Amino acid sequence: MKLFSNLSGIALSVIAIAKCSTATPFLSNAMVAPSSSTMDSVFGIARGGGIFGGGNKKKESEADVKDKLKAESGETFPALSQEEIEEWLGHIPVFAVTDSNGAGVVLKPDNDTSVMYFFFSPQMANATLAQLKGTNDELDLKLSAFSLGKIWYKMLNNGDDQEIKLKKPGADDSEAEVLTGGNVEYRLVPDTRDLLGARMLLTMTPEDGEEMKKAGDSMTPELAQKAVEKAMTESPEFKENYNEVPVFLIAQMRMQKPAGEEGGEAKTILPMYFSLQTMVGTWQQFMTAQNDPEMKDMEPAINVMNLHKLVEMMKEPSEIDFRSCLLLPPIPAGAPGGAAPPAGMGAPAPEASMAGGGGTLGDI
């Protein structure tokens, strides 16, 4: 284990979560698709044929999503600049183990590999911190929060030109080893529950969904294990546990951002989520409040995209208005509203908690 000290100016002293506190979800007129199927619960999130069932999910996660999200006007929007992409990602917190001065901890699983991890889940980051402290209780380590926007280009996608100083804990700068950026591998780690959810979305067929729906509350461990094994072995994407980060969206759902205090017009936005559970919980609360019986039975058209591919799409002119998309951060487990935000809350805004350490499906 070594430390490197090129993180100055990137650490977040206060995590500013994008707020849309009075935005309310509503249905896009172009995407209404009623269904009579009911929704049960599996792995802690609601599901039905429209969530975990489906045909060619790989196609839907790429080309079909683009078609669904095109502006109704047919307008083509200019590419986002690097500065705009950094701002779009800037309010998303990720967590890493550092020393007391904020220097990042670089792990060496072998002599030829140097790795630094950034976690979306503070619980997973805490587990890594506890493991490192368990090997040497004299290490002065902590969790630090970073802006995903600030590290996206400076570290995660910086190429091989950046110089990095590595030194062992407790050593002074004169003992530091200078490496180029390409010699340190940065790994962006999604929550294992969301990674499994993405794999299930891409592998479960309509027949699988019907089988799970029929089982309902009497679903057996064998049936659940069968679904998990299929997701883990047959998913065409999200095969790695890092650097393949799923982003979820419901094609029918939009939010209305009210006009600001200084004037301006209200704006329709498309919410995108890192947390599948939070997104489905928001959808369910919104649907529960509906008076139209047909709308109450509507199943969400859930799609999943790869964050890196999504950013690449933003760098090109597009019929999708990415400037009207809002990326919502995960809510730490145990935080108020962590299970599902109120329907009137477009973007949860708790401070990211670093306490706790709950298990995930990936730990089983």
Side-chain angles (χ1 to χ4, degrees):
M1 180 185 68
K2 294 187 177 182
L3 306 173
F4 74 92
S5 55
N6 69 333
L7 298 181
S8 60
I10 299 177
L12 289 175
S13 56
V14 177
I15 301 169
I17 305 300
K19 297 181 176 64
C20 194
S21 59
T22 55
T24 303
F26 67 91
L27 295 177
S28 171
N29 293 332
M31 299 305 301
V32 174
S35 169
S36 60
S37 299
T38 58
M39 305 182 85
D40 299 312
S41 179
V42 62
F43 304 131
I45 66 171
R47 66 106 193 104
I51 297 183
F52 286 123
N56 187 346
K57 289 294 184 182
K58 187 173 189 298
K59 182 180 179 183
E60 283 192 2
S61 69
E62 296 172 7
D64 284 4
V65 175
K66 294 181 182 180
D67 289 337
K68 291 176 182 178
L69 303 183
K70 287 180 180 178
E72 296 180 9
S73 63
E75 181 181 355
T76 297
F77 300 91
L80 272 67
S81 65
Q82 177 174 322
E83 291 73 19
E84 287 179 304
I85 292 173
E86 288 177 333
E87 182 179 356
W88 193 73
L89 296 169
H91 62 281
I92 304 298
V94 291
F95 304 89
V97 179
T98 71
D99 70 359
S100 58
N101 297 318
V105 171
V106 174
L107 305 179
K108 294 184 72 68
D110 55 62
N111 291 332
D112 299 323
T113 308
S114 298
V115 180
M116 180 174 180
Y117 290 92
F118 292 95
F119 297 90
F120 281 91
S121 165
Q123 286 74 32
M124 292 176 65
N126 255 319
T128 300
L129 175 62
Q131 186 176 8
L132 291 175
K133 285 188 172 181
T135 62
N136 186 345
D137 57 9
E138 295 182 359
L139 292 175
D140 186 14
L141 302 178
K142 65 175 184 177
L143 286 193
S144 295
F146 298 85
S147 161
L148 180 59
K150 288 187 177 181
I151 68 170
W152 187 263
Y153 286 106
K154 291 182 179 179
M155 301 181 72
L156 299 176
N157 299 278
N158 190 50
D160 300 340
D161 298 331
Q162 187 177 30
E163 286 191 350
I164 295 170
K165 290 183 178 180
L166 287 181
K167 62 180 181 179
K168 292 183 179 181
D172 57 41
D173 288 344
S174 64
E175 300 177 63
E177 176 185 3
V178 179
L179 300 176
T180 58
N183 290 322
V184 175
E185 180 182 347
Y186 302 105
R187 295 181 179 179
L188 188 60
V189 184
D191 191 307
T192 49
R193 295 166 295 184
D194 298 311
L195 195 60
L196 177 59
R199 291 169 177 170
M200 292 183 71
L201 283 166
L202 295 175
T203 55
M204 289 193 71
T205 65
E207 291 75 21
D208 294 331
E210 286 301 318
E211 185 178 8
M212 296 181 78
K213 242 189 305 190
K214 288 178 182 178
D217 294 333
S218 61
M219 184 185 303
T220 64
E222 291 77 16
L223 183 58
Q225 185 63 29
K226 177 184 175 183
V228 171
E229 289 180 357
K230 184 176 182 180
M232 298 297 288
T233 58
E234 299 182 19
S235 178
E237 199 170 359
F238 305 108
K239 297 179 180 181
E240 300 291 340
N241 293 327
Y242 56 87
N243 291 348
E244 290 191 83
V245 180
V247 176
F248 304 94
L249 61 97
I250 294 177
Q252 303 107 308
M253 188 162 68
R254 299 292 187 275
M255 291 181 176
Q256 189 74 25
K257 185 177 181 180
E261 296 179 358
E262 298 179 358
E265 298 180 356
K267 186 176 183 180
T268 299
I269 59 176
L270 170 68
M272 297 181 174
Y273 295 79
F274 284 113
S275 169
L276 178 59
Q277 181 175 356
T278 298
M279 182 183 71
V280 174
T282 301
W283 170 268
Q284 285 184 310
Q285 291 196 3
F286 168 63
M287 297 306 292
T288 300
Q290 300 304 308
N291 296 321
D292 188 337
E294 291 188 354
M295 290 183 65
K296 284 181 176 292
D297 291 331
M298 186 184 305
E299 287 187 342
I302 293 183
N303 294 101
V304 58
M305 302 185 73
N306 184 308
L307 176 62
H308 285 81
K309 292 182 179 180
L310 185 60
V311 171
E312 288 303 310
M313 289 169 57
M314 293 178 168
K315 293 159 66 176
E316 303 290 337
S318 175
E319 293 180 273
I320 302 172
D321 183 8
F322 287 113
R323 293 175 178 85
S324 295
C325 297
L326 178 64
L327 193 58
L328 299 180
I331 302 177
M345 295 290 289
E351 284 194 354
S353 169
M354 295 187 188
T360 66
L361 285 170
D363 300 323
I364 297 175

